[in-house]
Amino acid sequence: QLQLVESGGGSVQPGGSLRLSCAASGFSLDYYAIGWFRQAPGKEREGVSCATTSGDNTRYADAVKGRFTISRDNANNTVYLQMNSLKPEDTAVYYCNADHLLVTMAKAGRYWGQGPQVTVSS
């Protein structure tokens, strides 16, 4: 079965960094569009970042531009979200996402990670 298994969630102080990893099994990420979404308590799910299958076109939510970076390691079949300068408002459950056609900031693809918690507080 196609699976995305996430790791790297946890708690950090404001200004700290975390790297989320999302390892794929059952398919090769280099043929899939990828993305990250998050959902905070009381809020709708929102797109954080997405990238095309080629990786040449990446987009970020305004709230995370300049602080977060999406990337993939095809050799390890893993997608990453590097999160720097974290703020309390970044606190949310973060989900990795992939699709064989596309992933946009407004519409997720068909495959999901399990969504670990990221908490930013002092």
Side-chain angles (χ1 to χ4, degrees):
Q1 290 183 313
L2 305 181
Q3 296 184 38
L4 296 171
V5 180
E6 294 183 46
S7 62
S11 298
V12 297
Q13 295 182 346
S17 297
L18 282 175
R19 188 181 72 168
L20 302 181
S21 299
C22 182
S25 63
F27 64 101
S28 296
L29 282 175
D30 55 335
Y31 295 106
Y32 283 74
I34 56 174
W36 290 90
F37 296 78
R38 68 184 182 185
Q39 187 165 21
K43 294 185 177 181
E44 296 182 356
R45 185 182 65 199
E46 63 176 340
V48 176
S49 181
C50 61
T52 60
T53 55
S54 69
D56 293 334
N57 187 8
T58 60
R59 295 185 179 276
Y60 297 90
D62 289 341
V64 307
K65 286 181 179 177
R67 301 189 296 117
F68 290 12
T69 303
I70 188 172
S71 63
R72 73 174 89 206
D73 182 347
N74 290 335
N76 292 301
N77 212 28
T78 301
V79 60
Y80 302 97
L81 184 68
Q82 179 67 45
M83 304 183 293
N84 298 325
S85 301
L86 283 162
K87 304 175 180 180
E89 51 264 43
D90 295 318
T91 296
V93 176
Y94 284 73
Y95 302 91
C96 66
N97 179 254
D99 195 274
H100 72 290
L101 292 178
L102 61 86
V103 174
T104 72
M105 300 294 290
K107 184 174 177 61
R110 67 183 66 189
Y111 305 114
W112 290 96
Q114 78 275 18
Q117 175 75 39
V118 172
T119 300
V120 185
S121 66
S122 58

